[in-house]
């Protein structure tokens, strides 16, 4: 049909029918448009048409073209071959890229039907008219790795240029395109593209072309008695320098198809009706036309293009696979449609990677787990901390009867150590993730480690704050009533704090328990260079209302720390180190608070890095627990080793203006008074300053007497020998918490054995002696002691308390100085500590 013109082709066909002899068949038809018009009208003339070059899929419609046959496979014939190739390499996810031309669209539509139901997903279908770059970019965005293309040579150059720009080539991608392009087809269109030749060739490297096989590769004799190789040699010899067509083998086999069809028709006519011959055929002879149609459908022989057989008028031919390797196409396999077999030539196909590309990005989920060396190092530090806590526990139990330890409440100290050890133990649980335990066990650990850390914190700081509260309750007792706070009451306080913790934790567990959740992160390339992507996942312990529950716990712990800070500040001036840990509690609260705030913030920011997060959490717990235990126990250990009595010895107050100002704001350290003076205790604080002034005057009198004693050194020796032990008994009072009653008894016995003498009394036997001897007599010494006792009680004992002292003030004597006569007759107070 000249120039593939529909009008001229149709006119030529009508002229042949009208003016030519009766034609038994129509052989030919190369242009798809002209062929389709002729084939559709053949039924009216009962003519069978056989084409050797029309490959358009449209002609496969047997309802529209019932008398049309072709020896060349249609463009759709490659689809079963592509299906076989996809299955061979286990590619189950593909995408299509189609030029907006009917020929290619029909192939794409048929391919969709072939793949449907074969467990192969077409994840994206893209088409384009002139610029394929947008479609190529969409394919990449949808993670399409296997691309099935249908476009001509001109568009193919543009497609591969876009693929190069989008990096859709190489070991991760496989392009499958038509294989009927001319040899060196890209050279004709490279100038029309905007990419360099080397870039185009780099993107084209490894693509697979699919097309029908022009000649069979099997060395088998055909129906003509020649092998395909012999036929090709003879054809090339007769062709000479003329242009070769890839359809010549199908044309050759087509002649044999017509010959074999007429032969079968003749045999059929001879066997059924001896009076009718094929020469009797005319365009209105429907019966003979049907005989020719059936005879052609029965065609089955081996020709130069392979096995020639029709199925619904379509040639079941051989499809070849070629691959672009180093600027040339190399045959790598073929598909036999008759046997439905795919044959890949050994080691001929080359992929850019070590293995065929994956049909999609293989996502391998990888648990971000805690490094075993890091876990081992932090566990070792935790064990050292627990050993240190055990050493403190041993020290506390061993020395529990020592006054220094006994005064600091050994039971509360044990609770502080227990809380520290629980906090240490939680580190082991925080380091266990999915790499060590199962999912169910991990979910259980979420709850257990929260409980252990919470209870450990409350136990340690609750005991510390309870001790401080006792000091505050006693020394800040404004009404100055006698108070005895035993350890049992402190244990009840700590138990109450723990009960609040348990209520919160039980409600948390019942209402909204912690669950194992998995957080997925963005994909990362495989460090080993494999064609896979790593999607990191991370396990978390979370629940629906995580923020609310954490807020409740943090609020409670924060209030507990604020309460501890308040107590530490209120008791900062209590000058008995064995009782008052306010300084160390303040330091502990400061360090723990700062570290917890920093640790919580950094831990939240690094929640996607489990190693960093675990390291921070573990170090914060280790630091807080260690610093708290050391601040509580190291000073006691040092004091007990260097000076066991330093913490409980009495210290004389230095009365300065600052202390006087402080005394006007705070109550004295007196906690109990003698029952006989109860009515006067309310005004004791206002009289304190006046009494101290009188004590200062008495000190001056004592200095005068001391100056007189310096004139008689032998008497001074006598005084030291007889009364040193008595004074030491008074000054050695230390333990005012547990043995205050015994200490009161010591002082009482001392006063009973040495009753204070009255200023006005004198021994008659001494009246006639020398005045100096009179001063150094035992009676005068007793008087001086009775004068010193109130001074000692008021100047030293208020710092520690614990003694019920009867302080007899000097009475007026006839020989006393005039200023002594104005002193009130007596001041009887009892100064006590805890």
């Amino acid at each position: 049909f000249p120039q593939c013109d529909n009008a001229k082709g149709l006119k030529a066909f009508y002229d042949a029918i009208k003016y030519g002899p009766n034609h038994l068949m129509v052989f030919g038809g190369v242009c798809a448009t002209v062929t389709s018009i002729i084939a559709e009208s053949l039924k009216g003339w009962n003519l069978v048409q056989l084409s050797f070059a029309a490959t358009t899929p449209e002609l496969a419609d047997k309802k529209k073209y019932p008398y049309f046959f072709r020896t060349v496979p249609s463009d759709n014939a490659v689809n079963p071959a592509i299906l076989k190739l996809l299955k061979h390499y286990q590619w189950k996810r593909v995408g299509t890229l189609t030029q907006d031309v009917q020929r290619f669209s029909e192939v794409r539509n048929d391919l969709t039907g072939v793949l449907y139901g074969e467990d192969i997903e077409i994840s994206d279908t893209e088409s384009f008219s002139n610029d394929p770059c947008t479609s190529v970019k969409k394919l990449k965005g949808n993670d399409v790795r296997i691309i099935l293309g249908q476009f001509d040579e001109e568009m193919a150059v543009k497609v591969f240029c876009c693929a190069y720009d989008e990096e859709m080539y190489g070991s991760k991608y496989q392009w499958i395109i038509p294989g009927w392009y001319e040899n060196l087809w890209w050279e004709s269109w490279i100038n029309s593209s905007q990419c360099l030749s080397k870039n185009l060739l780099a993107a084209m490297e490894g693509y697979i072309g699919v097309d029908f096989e022009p000649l069979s590769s099997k060395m088998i004799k055909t129906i003509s008695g020649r092998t395909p190789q012999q036929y090709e040699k003879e054809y090339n010899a007769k062709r000479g320098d003329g242009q070769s067509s890839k359809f010549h083998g199908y044309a050759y086999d087509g002649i044999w198809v017509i010959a074999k069809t007429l032969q079968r028709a003749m045999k059929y006519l001879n066997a059924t009706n001896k009076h009718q011959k094929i020469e009797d055929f005319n365009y209105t002879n429907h019966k003979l036309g049907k005989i020719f149609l059936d005879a052609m459908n029965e065609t089955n022989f081996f020709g130069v293009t392979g096995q020639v057989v029709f199925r619904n008028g379509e040639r079941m031919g051989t499809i070849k696979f070629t691959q672009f390797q180093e600027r040339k196409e190399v045959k790598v396999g073929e598909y036999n449609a008759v046997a439905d077999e795919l044959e890949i030539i050994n080691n001929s196909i080359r992929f850019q990677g070590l293995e065929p590309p994956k049909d999609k990005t293989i996502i391998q989920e990888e648990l971000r787990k805690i490094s075993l060396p890091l876990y081992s190092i932090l566990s070792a530090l935790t064990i050292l901390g627990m050993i240190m806590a055990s050493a403190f526990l041993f020290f506390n139990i061993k020395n529990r009867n020592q006054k220094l330890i006994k005064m600091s409440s050994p039971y509360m100290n044990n609770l502080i150590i227990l809380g520290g050890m629980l906090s240490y133990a939680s580190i082991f649980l925080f380091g266990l993730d999915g790499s060590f335990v199962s999912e169910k066990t991990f979910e259980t650990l979420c709850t257990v480690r929260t409980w252990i850390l919470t209870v450990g914190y409350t136990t340690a700081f609750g005991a510390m704050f309870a001790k401080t509260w006792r000091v505050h309750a006693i020394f800040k007792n404004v009404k100055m009533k006698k108070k005895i706070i035993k350890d049992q009451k402190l244990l009840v306080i700590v138990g109450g704090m723990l009960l609040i913790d348990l209520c919160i934790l039980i409600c948390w567990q019942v209402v909204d328990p912690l669950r194992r959740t998995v957080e997925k992160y963005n994909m990362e390339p495989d460090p080993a260079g494999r064609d896979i992507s790593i999607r990191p996942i991370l396990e978390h312990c979370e629940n629906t209302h995580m923020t609310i529950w954490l807020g409740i716990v943090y609020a409670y712990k924060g209030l507990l720390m604020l309460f501890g800070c308040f107590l530490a500040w209120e008791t900062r001036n209590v000058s008995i180190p064995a009782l008052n840990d306010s300084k160390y509690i303040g330091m502990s609260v400061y360090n723990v608070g700062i570290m917890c705030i920093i640790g919580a913030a950094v831990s939240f920011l690094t929640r996607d890095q489990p190693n960093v997060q675990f390291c921070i959490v573990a170090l914060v717990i280790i630091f807080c627990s260690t610093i708290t235990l050391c601040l509580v126990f190291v000073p006691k250990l040092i004091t007990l080793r260097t000076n066991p009595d330093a913490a409980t010895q009495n210290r004389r107050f230095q009365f300065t203006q600052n202390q006087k100002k402080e005394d006007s704001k705070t109550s004295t350290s007196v906690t109990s008074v003698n029952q006989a003076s109860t009515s006067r205790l309310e005004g004791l604080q206002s009289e304190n300053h006046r009494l101290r002034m009188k004590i200062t005057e008495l000190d001056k009198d004592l200095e005068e007497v001391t100056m007189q004693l310096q004139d008689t050194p032998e008497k001074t020796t006598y005084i030291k020998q007889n009364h040193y032990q008595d004074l030491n008994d008074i000054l050695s009072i230390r333990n005012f918490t547990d043995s205050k009653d015994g200490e009161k008894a010591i002082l009482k016995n001392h006063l009973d054995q040495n009753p204070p003498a009255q200023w006005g009394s004198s021994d008659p036997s001494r009246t006639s002696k020398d005045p100096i001897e009179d001063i150094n007599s035992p009676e005068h010494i007793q008087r001086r002691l009775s004068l010193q006792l109130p001074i000692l009680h008021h100047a030293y004992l208020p710092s520690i308390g614990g003694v019920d002292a009867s302080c007899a003030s000097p009475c007026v004597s006839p020989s006393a100085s005039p200023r002594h006569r104005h002193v009130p007759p007596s001041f009887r107070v009892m100064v006590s500590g805890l």
Side-chain angles (χ1 to χ4, degrees):
F1 303 117
Q3 301 176 358
C4 292
D5 186 281
N6 294 345
K8 293 181 178 180
L10 188 60
K11 183 179 184 301
F13 172 72
Y14 281 131
D15 289 343
I17 295 296
K18 182 177 181 180
Y19 300 110
N22 287 338
H23 301 282
L24 301 178
M25 294 181 185
V26 177
F27 181 64
V30 176
C31 295
T33 54
V34 178
T35 303
S36 61
I37 294 174
I38 301 300
E40 190 173 2
S41 62
L42 290 176
K43 186 178 181 179
W45 285 277
N46 295 310
L47 284 173
V48 175
Q49 181 181 5
L50 179 64
S51 174
F52 59 86
T55 60
T56 177
E58 181 187 3
L59 296 171
D61 186 359
K62 300 310 294 182
K63 292 182 179 180
K64 191 174 183 180
Y65 311 103
Y67 282 81
F68 179 80
F69 291 83
R70 50 187 167 190
T71 56
V72 62
S74 73
D75 293 334
N76 287 343
V78 300
N79 291 333
I82 292 175
L83 172 63
K84 206 70 175 180
L85 182 68
L86 296 177
K87 288 185 174 181
H88 179 76
Y89 289 108
Q90 299 180 356
W91 290 327
K92 296 184 178 181
R93 186 174 182 272
V94 299
T96 61
L97 182 63
T98 309
Q99 183 180 355
D100 283 336
V101 175
Q102 183 179 2
R103 174 185 180 183
F104 301 123
S105 299
E106 289 176 351
V107 175
R108 191 260 326 272
N109 295 337
D110 182 74
L111 178 63
T112 302
V114 170
L115 299 182
Y116 181 78
E118 295 292 339
D119 195 26
I120 296 178
E121 173 193 359
I122 300 180
S123 60
D124 192 13
T125 300
E126 297 293 334
S127 60
F128 64 94
S129 296
N130 187 42
D131 183 11
C133 290
T134 302
S135 299
V136 171
K137 186 178 295 184
K138 289 181 179 179
L139 289 172
K140 183 179 182 180
N142 290 325
D143 191 34
V144 175
R145 297 289 197 88
I146 311 300
I147 304 101
L148 308 179
Q150 286 292 331
F151 33 76
D152 57 27
E153 296 98 321
E154 181 182 3
M155 290 296 107
V157 171
K158 295 182 178 181
V159 166
F160 282 112
C161 286
C162 297
Y164 181 84
D165 294 337
E166 296 295 332
E167 297 183 351
M168 290 184 65
Y169 64 95
S171 60
K172 296 182 178 181
Y173 295 92
Q174 183 60 61
W175 289 84
I176 301 175
I177 63 174
W180 42 260
Y181 300 161
E182 296 292 336
N183 191 29
L184 302 177
W185 55 270
W186 62 91
E187 294 182 352
S188 302
W189 303 100
I190 184 63
N191 295 329
S192 63
S193 65
Q194 297 180 353
C195 61
L196 300 177
S197 177
K198 63 176 183 178
N199 296 341
L200 176 63
L201 293 174
M204 291 168 53
E205 185 68 24
Y207 79 74
I208 294 177
V210 187
D211 193 20
F212 55 83
E213 183 76 273
L215 292 174
S216 175
S217 59
K218 296 180 180 179
M219 300 185 66
I220 301 175
K221 285 187 177 183
T222 65
I223 191 172
S224 64
R226 304 180 181 88
T227 64
Q229 293 75 23
Q230 291 174 340
Y231 160 78
E232 184 178 20
K233 184 179 180 180
E234 184 176 350
Y235 170 77
N236 289 332
K238 292 183 177 180
R239 178 176 60 87
D241 296 331
Q243 186 177 2
S244 173
S245 171
K246 65 178 183 179
F247 297 105
H248 64 86
Y250 293 98
Y252 181 78
D253 283 342
I255 299 299
W256 280 98
V257 169
I258 293 175
K260 296 295 290 185
T261 297
L262 294 176
Q263 185 182 27
R264 280 191 296 274
M266 293 172 63
K267 288 183 179 180
Y268 178 80
L269 291 174
N270 291 335
T272 57
N273 189 351
K274 297 181 180 180
H275 302 286
Q276 192 173 19
K277 300 179 181 180
I278 60 173
E279 292 86 350
D280 298 333
F281 172 77
N282 57 57
Y283 303 128
T284 59
N285 194 334
H286 178 73
K287 184 177 180 180
L288 278 177
K290 186 67 170 58
I291 292 174
F292 293 154
L293 182 64
D294 294 338
M296 186 166 287
N297 271 323
E298 295 174 0
T299 301
N300 189 354
F301 63 87
F302 186 79
V304 295
T305 58
Q307 194 71 24
V308 181
V309 61
F310 298 108
R311 184 176 298 171
N312 293 327
E314 292 295 305
R315 167 73 185 273
M316 304 299 294
T318 302
I319 306 299
K320 70 172 181 177
F321 294 94
T322 58
Q323 187 179 37
F324 188 76
Q325 300 176 3
E326 298 177 356
R327 305 188 62 165
K328 62 180 180 180
E329 291 185 340
V330 179
K331 182 178 178 181
V332 294
E334 64 179 32
Y335 169 74
N336 188 341
V338 177
D340 192 25
E341 293 179 353
L342 175 66
E343 179 184 357
I344 300 296
I345 301 175
N346 294 333
N347 300 322
S348 59
I349 192 166
R350 299 177 186 175
F351 294 106
Q352 302 299 300
L354 300 176
E355 58 183 358
K358 307 297 182 182
D359 57 3
K360 60 181 178 181
T361 300
I362 302 300
I363 302 174
Q364 181 176 328
E365 292 187 346
E366 186 176 277
L367 178 65
R368 284 185 174 177
K369 55 187 179 181
I370 295 173
S371 171
L372 183 58
L374 177 64
Y375 182 74
S376 302
I377 293 172
L378 293 176
S379 298
L381 292 176
T382 303
I383 293 173
L384 291 177
M386 298 183 77
I387 293 174
M388 180 196 68
S390 302
F392 287 148
L393 181 63
F394 174 77
F395 164 78
N396 192 68
I397 295 175
K398 181 181 178 182
N399 298 282
R400 65 185 181 277
N401 293 323
Q402 293 283 342
K403 290 185 178 181
L404 176 65
I405 304 301
K406 198 170 186 178
M407 292 168 63
S408 66
S409 302
Y411 294 115
M412 294 295 102
N413 293 342
N414 291 341
L415 286 181
I416 295 173
I417 296 172
L418 176 61
M421 295 187 75
L422 287 175
S423 299
Y424 281 128
S426 66
I427 296 176
F428 297 112
L429 303 181
F430 275 105
L432 296 177
D433 54 19
S435 61
F436 297 100
V437 297
S438 62
E439 294 182 4
K440 186 176 181 181
T441 305
F442 179 82
E443 195 167 284
T444 303
L445 289 177
C446 289
T447 302
V448 173
R449 68 191 188 186
T450 303
W451 282 56
I452 289 179
L453 183 59
T454 304
V455 172
Y457 174 90
T458 303
T459 302
F461 280 89
M464 194 182 303
F465 297 157
K467 287 174 55 179
T468 311
W469 171 82
R470 176 164 64 180
V471 177
H472 176 270
I474 293 174
F475 283 87
K476 295 299 178 179
N477 181 20
V478 178
K479 294 185 178 181
M480 307 183 68
K481 294 181 179 180
K482 184 176 181 180
K483 267 195 173 182
I484 300 176
I485 301 176
K486 297 183 178 181
D487 286 349
Q488 287 81 353
K489 189 171 183 179
L490 301 184
L491 290 174
V492 172
I493 294 175
V494 177
M497 295 179 182
L498 290 175
L499 183 62
I500 297 175
D501 266 337
L502 291 177
C503 291
I504 295 175
L505 292 173
I506 290 173
C507 292
W508 189 349
Q509 182 64 25
V510 173
V511 177
D512 192 13
L514 288 171
R515 302 292 184 189
R516 174 185 178 271
T517 60
V518 176
E519 183 178 2
K520 297 182 178 181
Y521 295 90
N522 295 330
M523 291 184 294
E524 300 174 353
D526 180 42
R530 297 174 297 173
D531 186 18
I532 61 174
S533 293
I534 304 298
R535 183 185 293 279
I537 62 173
L538 188 59
E539 295 174 315
H540 295 293
C541 294
E542 293 180 346
N543 52 15
T544 307
H545 305 288
M546 190 71 174
T547 305
I548 297 176
W549 293 108
L550 287 179
I552 294 173
V553 173
Y554 289 159
Y556 172 54
K557 301 302 178 185
L559 290 175
L560 190 62
M561 294 188 71
L562 290 176
F563 178 65
C565 291
F566 168 75
L567 294 178
W569 176 260
E570 286 292 305
T571 59
R572 68 191 184 280
N573 291 321
V574 177
S575 56
I576 306 171
L579 289 176
N580 183 30
D581 295 329
S582 62
K583 179 174 69 174
Y584 303 121
I585 291 175
M587 294 173 63
S588 297
V589 171
Y590 174 79
N591 285 288
V592 171
I594 295 298
M595 290 302 297
C596 287
I597 293 173
I598 295 175
V602 177
S603 176
F604 177 79
L605 294 176
T606 59
R607 68 193 310 266
D608 59 337
Q609 303 177 42
N611 285 321
V612 178
Q613 187 182 45
F614 171 65
C615 183
I616 292 173
V617 171
L619 290 178
V620 167
I621 295 175
I622 292 173
F623 177 81
C624 293
S625 301
T626 303
I627 208 71
T628 300
L629 293 175
C630 288
L631 287 173
V632 172
F633 290 99
V634 169
K636 293 179 174 58
L637 191 148
I638 295 174
T639 303
L640 193 62
R641 293 292 183 186
T642 56
N643 189 7
D645 296 331
T648 56
Q649 287 180 342
N650 298 329
R651 295 182 298 173
R652 184 179 181 88
F653 285 104
Q654 300 295 325
F655 299 107
T656 61
Q657 294 299 324
N658 292 335
Q659 286 177 316
K660 293 177 183 178
K661 185 177 180 180
E662 182 68 23
D663 291 338
S664 65
K665 297 180 181 178
T666 60
S667 63
T668 62
S669 299
V670 180
T671 62
S672 63
V673 296
N674 191 286
Q675 294 296 330
S677 306
T678 303
S679 60
R680 300 173 57 192
L681 290 178
E682 298 294 336
L684 184 59
Q685 185 173 1
S686 61
E687 296 178 5
N688 185 47
H689 181 67
R690 181 174 58 83
L691 292 175
R692 287 181 176 177
M693 294 299 296
K694 291 187 178 294
I695 290 171
T696 304
E697 294 178 0
L698 294 175
D699 280 338
K700 293 180 180 179
D701 292 341
L702 181 61
E703 291 175 1
E704 293 177 2
V705 175
T706 303
M707 293 296 295
Q708 296 176 13
L709 290 176
Q710 289 176 355
D711 297 333
T712 57
E714 67 280 359
K715 295 297 182 179
T716 304
T717 303
Y718 171 79
I719 294 172
K720 290 183 178 180
Q721 291 175 351
N722 288 277
H723 297 280
Y724 178 81
Q725 184 61 38
D726 295 335
L727 292 173
N728 192 48
D729 290 341
I730 297 173
L731 298 176
S732 63
I733 298 171
R734 292 187 297 267
N735 193 340
F736 50 91
T737 57
D738 302 307
S739 57
K740 60 181 180 180
D741 295 332
E743 293 165 345
K744 290 180 182 180
I746 293 173
L747 185 57
K748 188 176 185 302
N749 292 337
H750 167 75
L751 295 176
D752 292 342
Q753 295 172 4
N754 300 281
Q758 301 298 322
W759 283 96
S761 64
S762 61
D763 192 341
S765 61
R766 296 284 181 181
T767 55
S768 60
K769 290 191 177 183
D770 185 72
I772 297 179
E773 291 182 2
D774 231 20
I775 293 173
N776 294 324
S777 65
E779 291 81 1
H780 281 78
I781 292 174
Q782 284 188 347
R783 291 175 185 173
R784 285 195 297 273
L785 287 175
S786 65
L787 180 63
Q788 292 173 1
L789 284 175
I791 298 172
L792 294 173
H793 285 299
H794 285 283
Y796 295 96
L797 295 184
S799 65
I800 60 169
V803 178
D804 188 359
S806 298
C807 303
S809 298
C811 298
V812 180
S813 173
S815 61
S817 62
R819 61 184 173 184
H820 289 155
R821 294 173 186 174
H822 299 286
V823 179
S826 65
F827 296 97
R828 181 179 179 84
V829 297
M830 190 275 287
V831 185
S832 174
L834 288 174

